[in-house]
Amino acid sequence: MTESRENLTVLLVDICDSTRLYETLGDEVAFRELRGCLDLFEKAVAVNGGRVAKAVGDGLICLFADPAKAVTAACDMQTGLGIRVAGQPLRIGIRVGLHYGPVLLDGDNVYGDTVKIATRMTQFAASGQIITTGDTVEQLAIHLRSVTRPLEAFPASGREDGMSVHEVQWQESSEYTQMPGRFEAVLAAAGISRMYLRQGAREIVVVSSMTMGRDAGNDIVLKDKMASRNHARIERRKDKYVLSDLSSNGTFVMMENGDQLKLRREEMIMHGSGAITFGHAAGEANEEAIRFRVE
């Protein structure tokens, strides 16, 4: 093979504490579960225009020409894993590190300081974190830079002033919580169901749970005085989405076929599409509707 040099983003994803899963679940079940997670990550890489260079233990080394695509893939991995394991007793987490810089390519192998730095970012990350470098952040557009925050610098080989370290805030970023289409292809390819809620122009994907009510601490804040402060909750249980009414006046579900159900301190498994109203039946005055669809 002919060696070549080019600037790429190296992304490493590592499944945390996989030894515990083998001890808890047994070899066969743990292997299947971890393999399913890696399949999900590989699809996130492919959807975002990257490629997997190699598997390392219970993780992957991935390469991207576009740093923004690498950051997006990292967010897709974290979000997709959250959806996959939501409602399950398994506690699986991943840490992701990435760095943009020159690499040496030799067939399927990749070498150089960029790989070493990306590895250090992964080691620096805790479960559920995405850690990158200032060099990588500088390559991003403003809207992606805005979802990163600087952490402390640490000494790096050949850099007397250390290296700036940044966290990608994938859970807090409205770009990733309100625009689920970015990783929709990943979840669909993995056979994982998704639930979307629309409040006006805002579209939200339900990752594990979502609360609705007049209290400002809810994920979706309602204005209607007929709604309770903590009115309803949607929770992912295994591969189902369950709507629970917690209110005084009830939660109404209008399906696309016109059927309407009222929940009063009850639960229902959501399917298809329609609208959810709070304290009012659909069509009544002052109703505040949230559109939903389950795919």
Side-chain angles (χ1 to χ4, degrees):
M1 290 286 185
T2 303
E3 296 179 356
S4 63
R5 288 185 179 273
E6 56 184 292
N7 287 334
L8 294 173
T9 303
V10 178
L11 180 154
L12 279 77
V13 54
D14 180 58
I15 299 175
C16 303
D17 199 12
S18 57
T19 301
R20 174 185 55 82
L21 292 175
Y22 280 100
E23 293 173 349
T24 303
L25 302 176
D27 290 348
E28 293 184 3
V29 175
F31 176 80
R32 286 198 302 270
E33 185 62 36
L34 294 175
R35 182 64 258 175
C37 293
L38 292 175
D39 288 344
L40 181 67
F41 305 153
E42 289 172 1
K43 292 180 174 69
V45 173
V47 165
N48 288 287
R51 68 180 179 88
V52 176
K54 64 171 65 176
V56 180
D58 292 310
L60 303 171
I61 298 177
C62 313
L63 305 176
F64 295 82
D66 184 350
K69 293 290 188 180
V71 171
T72 301
C75 294
D76 290 352
M77 290 176 184
Q78 292 284 10
T79 306
L81 178 65
I83 292 175
R84 177 182 173 85
V85 302
Q88 299 184 24
L90 299 175
R91 296 184 62 184
I92 300 178
I94 57 171
R95 49 188 185 174
V96 184
L98 56 153
H99 177 62
Y100 172 82
V103 298
L104 175 64
L105 298 172
D106 182 10
D108 292 331
N109 295 314
V110 57
Y111 305 97
D113 283 343
T114 296
V115 180
K116 295 178 182 178
I117 294 171
T119 301
R120 292 194 70 182
M121 294 301 105
T122 309
Q123 294 169 344
F124 192 86
S127 177
Q129 276 191 314
I130 301 169
I131 301 296
T132 189
T133 61
D135 290 349
T136 310
V137 172
E138 289 177 1
Q139 300 296 319
L140 304 176
I142 293 176
H143 72 283
L144 280 179
R145 290 186 196 179
S146 68
V147 301
T148 68
R149 67 184 183 97
L151 303 177
E152 63 187 63
F154 66 90
S157 175
R159 300 195 182 196
E160 295 180 359
D161 58 347
M163 175 174 292
S164 62
V165 179
H166 295 248
E167 179 183 8
V168 179
Q169 298 175 286
W170 63 275
Q171 289 175 306
E172 299 176 14
S173 164
S174 61
E175 175 158 1
Y176 291 104
T177 58
Q178 296 179 20
M179 296 178 64
R182 187 183 310 283
F183 55 86
E184 183 175 355
V186 178
L187 303 180
I192 298 174
S193 64
R194 293 91 72 207
M195 183 174 189
Y196 303 101
L197 303 177
R198 179 172 289 278
Q199 182 187 39
R202 179 190 183 203
E203 186 170 69
I204 307 166
V205 62
V206 181
V207 176
S208 57
S209 65
M210 187 72 58
T211 59
M212 295 156 281
R214 287 192 293 112
D215 190 275
N218 286 285
D219 299 304
I220 296 179
V221 178
L222 305 173
K223 298 179 181 179
D224 196 324
K225 292 184 178 180
M226 288 295 288
S228 297
R229 292 188 178 278
N230 297 292
H231 194 101
R233 175 185 177 90
I234 296 174
E235 182 180 11
R236 185 184 179 93
R237 299 179 188 171
K238 294 186 178 179
D239 203 35
K240 301 290 191 297
Y241 294 92
V242 179
L243 170 64
S244 302
D245 173 69
L246 311 171
S247 71
S248 301
N249 296 319
T251 301
F252 296 79
V253 180
M254 171 69 81
M255 305 300 295
E256 286 292 345
N257 64 6
D259 291 344
Q260 184 161 248
L261 303 170
K262 179 181 180 181
L263 304 180
R264 189 72 176 271
R265 303 284 175 166
E266 298 172 296
E267 298 182 343
M268 71 173 286
I269 296 174
M270 304 298 286
H271 60 88
S273 60
I276 305 169
T277 54
F278 307 92
H280 297 278
E284 292 184 0
N286 299 321
E287 71 173 50
E288 188 171 19
I290 302 295
R291 303 290 305 179
F292 73 89
R293 75 180 190 277
V294 179
E295 298 179 357

